[in-house]
Amino acid sequence: MSTAGLSTPFKAEFDVNSQEFSLSGVIRPRSIEEIAVNILMLKEAIDQVRGVLYINVRRLVQMNNTAFQAFARVVLDTCQTRPDIRFVIVTSSVVGWTTRMFEHLNRIEPQITIEVYDSTFYPGQSFVEDTSFIPILRTQTKMTWRHERTILPRHGMRSGITMADICCGIGDFAVLVQKEFQPARIVALDHSKASLAYAREVATGFGIADIEYTYGDASEMLLEDDQFDFVSCRHSLQIFNQPEVLLAELYRICRPGGRVYVTNEKNSHCLGEPRSQSIQWTYNEVAKLFSHFEMDVELGPKSRRYLTDAGFDDIIVESFMVTNLDGDPRDFAEVITAWENVYAGEMAVKRGDSPEFIQRFRQGFQDHIFAALHPKGYAGWPIWVASGRKPL
Ligand SMILES: C[S@@+](CC[C@H](N)C(=O)[O-])C[C@H]1O[C@@H](n2cnc3c(N)ncnc32)[C@H](O)[C@@H]1O
């Protein structure tokens, strides 16, 4: 993981309503006295809770042994005297050492359990973090780039800026931006280890060494506040089940006066001729299928509302249509094949759909491909681009 730009100040907080004691940042005291006030806060928290005390270490970047022993002592001693209290220590794979370190306490005391928050933290995670999702990302960006490269400058992209591509997937957008616009710095963050491994391979293949690929959770990033001129988040607000939480984080890391750029779809508006009805039916079903897994692939036209509610000003919204007439129609067909494989081959199966439904569902994708490759056919996939400025 890249460590540049990580937030480091140490903070201990207690929220009585959620019965949650949180530790974040870097804590490296030379003696216990230096953290006496934080230890006292933990003891007071224990006195106030009933049932379970959650100890959130999801943003704990570093902790030395002195601090670990001091906090662990309080928790272990409490287990001896208060059999009525359980401790749930909430870690994150983003700071993987916390799980290994705190798991040790569970082996000593069964009253202490460890939960790795981001092992199943949003309903669509198992699909989008799988290697089978990679062909979707690879084929999509190939098609959208010819539009976005001319759109981006209207939304604040220019050379020399610092930018972050959050939920970067396989990082191809970052590579294309690097080549076309030469920003001074690019951080590209995602929570899919499979996609990031692919991204690093692609960048090496292109001889690009200066994109900072980072493993992280976009809803709780370790990146500092107010540091990027341009923050992009493409096709991802629609994937995560709490888009407003992601937006709040994008806002936080953007510098005042900088812009956040998002792209999203409205899948039910995919279209094609001939065979429009079958195509229309399938993409209406795509929207329902995603919604079953708490993903909103109809989010595109809602972007203006999301950006407004998140506090941005100077909001710009535009849309474009990827079509079979953009270059080689086989590239368009490849996108649809990748969708069919994951949406009908995995997601519909996981939802428990009948073979008859899946057959009809697949037919719409096949008809979209037919329309794309037909000498007189037309096939489209609409996308909404929106950006907002973080007020000065
Ligand atoms: C549809 S893909 C889009 C990827 C890329 N932006 C693109 O357009 O090709 C959604 C991406 O969001 C990532 N993602 C979703 N929720 C995330 C989170 N909370 N933290 C980090 N990445 C997340 C997934 O791993 C996936 O790579």
Side-chain angles (χ1 to χ4, degrees), residues 121-122 128-129 133 137 141 167-169 190-192 216-219 234-236 239-240 246:
F121 71 131
Y122 68 101
V128 292
E129 292 195 0
F133 208 75
L137 303 182
T141 311
C167 302
C168 65
D190 202 278
H191 192 270
S192 163
D217 168 12
S219 63
R234 300 172 53 264
H235 302 275
S236 300
I239 291 296
F240 193 66
L246 282 199

Side-chain angles (χ1 to χ4, degrees), residues 2 15 24 35 81 101 108 113 165 172 224 236 300 310 316 371 374:
S2 157
D15 177 0
S24 59
I35 52 167
T81 55
M101 199 162 180
I108 303 173
T113 48
D165 186 32
D172 42 3
E224 273 169 30
S236 300
I316 305 171
H374 192 287

Side-chain angles (χ1 to χ4, degrees), residues 42-76:
L42 175 58
K43 286 182 178 163
E44 286 173 354
I46 291 169
D47 288 342
Q48 288 180 61
V49 298
R50 299 241 176 297
V52 180
L53 177 66
Y54 293 92
I55 300 183
N56 178 345
V57 293
R58 279 150 56 181
R59 289 197 196 213
L60 186 59
V61 179
Q62 274 181 37
M63 179 183 234
N64 69 3
N65 211 32
T66 306
F68 178 73
Q69 295 299 341
F71 284 107
R73 193 69 272 147
V74 174
V75 172
L76 290 170

